[in-house]
Amino acid sequence: MAEKRRAIVKIKPKKYVVGDIVKVSFMVQHPMETGMAKDKETGEVKSAHYIEDITFSFEGEPFTKMKVWESISADPFFSVQYKVEKAGKITVDYTDNLGEKNTKSKKVKPKKAKTENA
Amino acid sequence: MERRKFIKNIMAVSATVAVPSMVFADLNASKKTVSTIEGNTTRKVSNIPTVKGTNDLPYEEALKAIIGEAELKDAKKVKLTVPEIAENGAVVPVKVSVESPMTQEDYVKSIHILNTKNANSRCVDVMLTVKNAEAKFASRVKLAESQDIVAVVGLSDGTFMKVAKSVKVTIGGCG
């Protein structure tokens, strides 16, 4: 349980201004066991262990929610689009079926928009 | 005479060799059945026929649970991108994009990704809001065998659209 999971939140493209639509992707190290696979050495069925809920939020306001089941690959990856309105923080909360809760966040820093009259 | 003796001997030896081996084979077989009946290995035995996850749901039921009795359109606005042939069933990339203005009146409410032949046919449900500004989603799924990937898209007016594409899987990815 106490095993620390490595997670990444990425925003693409790297340079964006207010009003741009960016791709927010989230990756996490997780076994995503289905509860059907057997251990190759002992022959015992491994118990199910998978992520159930993922919430993407900006400054505490959720904008995308996901409900996940076992059929997602190990070390899962999800990406959605988001329209940048101001600087802040995107936070991703995820919970798995054993009750393990984690969060990962990424700062949103839009570049200054180019002045068109210059 | 010697030849006859020789043949006799061979017969005798072969008989003595063959009989016990058969007997042992029978014994072994009986041991196996006995142990299973006694329940020494009940846990392992029970695992073999019921290879099932905790939340199995066949495709038809899953689809019904999502759309209820709403309309289901076969829409051109939904673009589902999957590989035609997936060499490794454990990692199959899936991309969904929907043409939508994403305004408060008309936006894509949810994207559901299903498969038709896995034990649990639900993969992921994505609930989108207006803040997403574009209805696009990408992930990776596991497929046990060659089957269809289905994307069901729910719109804000309560209608649903469905797109299905088949994927050939060379090595299954579920255990």
Side-chain angles (χ1 to χ4, degrees), chain A residues 21 32 34 36-37 50 61 63-67 69-73 75 77-83, chain B residues 55 90-91 115 118 120 122-127 129 131-134 136-142 175:
Chain A
I21 297 169
M32 296 300 278
T34 56
M36 290 156 71
Y50 55 93
E61 274 183 52
F63 62 87
T64 305
K65 281 183 185 177
M66 291 181 197
K67 212 163 173 349
W69 284 280
E70 311 93 312
S71 302
I72 294 294
S73 304
D75 299 344
F77 155 84
F78 306 93
S79 81
V80 291
Q81 307 294 114
Y82 179 71
K83 192 174 185 181
Chain B
N55 27 6
V91 183
N115 50 56
N118 277 10
N120 182 5
R122 290 168 298 185
C123 292
V124 57
D125 292 358
V126 190
M127 307 297 164
T129 56
K131 283 183 181 176
N132 287 104
E134 265 180 11
K136 276 187 186 173
F137 173 70
S139 186
R140 296 185 288 230
V141 301
K142 272 185 272 196

Side-chain angles (χ1 to χ4, degrees), chain B residues 42-171:
Chain B
T42 41
R43 204 171 47 124
K44 275 186 185 175
V45 170
S46 68
N47 277 337
I48 294 160
T50 57
V51 184
K52 279 186 175 180
T54 44
N55 27 6
D56 284 8
L57 198 70
Y59 169 66
E60 301 285 323
E61 284 178 34
L63 193 62
K64 214 171 226 180
I66 291 166
I67 64 169
E69 287 171 7
E71 280 181 74
L72 192 60
K73 297 178 201 164
D74 202 19
K76 289 172 189 169
K77 282 184 178 177
V78 185
K79 199 178 168 193
L80 173 65
T81 318
V82 288
E84 276 181 28
I85 299 169
E87 283 190 10
N88 182 4
V91 183
V92 182
V94 177
K95 272 187 196 173
V96 184
S97 68
V98 190
E99 276 180 43
S100 167
M102 293 299 271
T103 56
Q104 201 66 50
E105 294 84 42
D106 179 16
Y107 68 99
V108 175
K109 213 176 180 182
S110 58
I111 297 173
H112 309 264
I113 293 175
L114 305 170
N115 50 56
T116 48
K117 282 180 185 172
N118 277 10
N120 182 5
S121 68
R122 290 168 298 185
C123 292
V124 57
D125 292 358
V126 190
M127 307 297 164
L128 298 172
T129 56
V130 181
K131 283 183 181 176
N132 287 104
E134 265 180 11
K136 276 187 186 173
F137 173 70
S139 186
R140 296 185 288 230
V141 301
K142 272 185 272 196
L143 297 178
E145 53 186 306
S146 299
Q147 55 185 291
D148 286 6
I149 288 186
V150 182
V152 177
V153 175
L155 301 176
S156 53
D157 61 352
T159 55
F160 287 89
M161 303 188 286
K162 191 183 97 173
V163 175
K165 268 192 182 177
S166 71
V167 180
K168 278 184 185 173
V169 177
T170 38
I171 302 168

